[in-house]
Amino acid sequence: MNERLENIISLASALRLASVDFEALYKNRDDLSPLAAVELYLSEQLKIKTEKQNTIRRKRAELPNEKTLEQFDFGFQKSISKERMLRLCDMTWVEQAYNICFLGPPGIGKTHLATALAVKALDMGYSVVFTTLDKLIKDLKTELISSQSKRKLKNIYKASLVIIDEVGFMPLNTQEANLFFGFVSELSEKTSMIITSNKGFDEWVDFLGDATITTAILDRLIHHCEIISMSGDSYRLSHRKSITR
């Protein structure tokens, strides 16, 4: 390694730039001008930085798994069209702080579609956080005594898109319903939410327990919202695998 290259590596380290394989980067590029060489080096730095940020965003998102629209069986689930989902992939609704609500029985693909939109948002550079309503309520209740809950909520409030899965599976008591109302109010008009629920909006009072709170929450959720009502048989049950088969 020549003295000049050692000096460049030292300077890059001092500037906290990512380490680069210079031999590979400039292989067969002896004709580069000094400015072109600098441009190539800075482009590589930007690529490394972008990949690192993407990795960090995905870790903070806490997705249960990474699903895509290409993996979704629109032939089986006919209550939602692929074209409608593709229109949502431009993420203009995130810029406008619009919400999306997937409603329908369990097993029909609501979480898959929500996750697919989350993956697309991550690919486009948006910050995303995934949680279930049960986990969210636990974090809201323990925010003042748990550093982990406080950190999770901090990430949620900073995110561009928040996915709240499994809304309606478990009933909430009065305190929990009020915490959920406060949370929705905090994000309303500022952060996009994707809600998946096994209950129609007319049934939300059953698990929230209070008509006034229910109305207040729905008023904030669906003011600017794409409501996607889904139906059909459970994909998991229809495609289950038997141990003895």
Side-chain angles (χ1 to χ4, degrees), residues 40-142:
L40 181 59
Y41 175 69
L42 293 178
S43 296
E44 184 67 14
Q45 286 292 329
L46 179 59
K47 177 183 176 183
I48 293 171
K49 182 178 181 180
T50 300
E51 290 175 350
K52 182 178 180 180
Q53 289 173 338
N54 190 32
T55 299
I56 292 173
R57 282 198 307 274
R58 276 170 151 73
K59 182 177 180 180
R60 288 178 177 171
E62 297 188 16
L63 298 180
N65 44 56
E66 291 208 5
K67 298 286 189 178
T68 66
L69 290 183
E70 288 70 29
Q71 295 170 322
F72 191 79
D73 190 347
F74 288 96
F76 179 82
Q77 178 49 263
K78 297 181 183 297
S79 63
I80 176 70
S81 70
K82 186 174 183 178
E83 290 72 22
R84 187 179 186 184
M85 291 303 303
L86 288 173
R87 286 197 296 270
L88 295 172
C89 287
D90 64 2
M91 296 297 148
T92 54
W93 54 277
V94 175
E95 293 292 335
Q96 299 167 357
Y98 272 57
N99 304 318
I100 297 177
C101 289
F102 290 101
L103 308 177
I108 60 173
K110 301 185 301 297
T111 302
H112 184 139
L113 293 176
T115 305
L117 289 175
V119 169
K120 184 66 176 178
L122 287 167
D123 289 341
M124 294 175 66
Y126 293 99
S127 54
V128 176
V129 176
F130 181 101
T131 188
T132 63
L133 181 59
D134 183 55
K135 290 180 180 178
L136 173 64
I137 294 300
K138 287 179 180 177
D139 286 331
L140 290 170
K141 291 170 72 174
T142 59

Side-chain angles (χ1 to χ4, degrees), residues 4 11 84 118 124 194 199 203:
R4 176 161 291 178
L11 290 170
R84 187 179 186 184
M124 294 175 66
I194 296 180
K199 297 185 182 297
E203 302 174 283

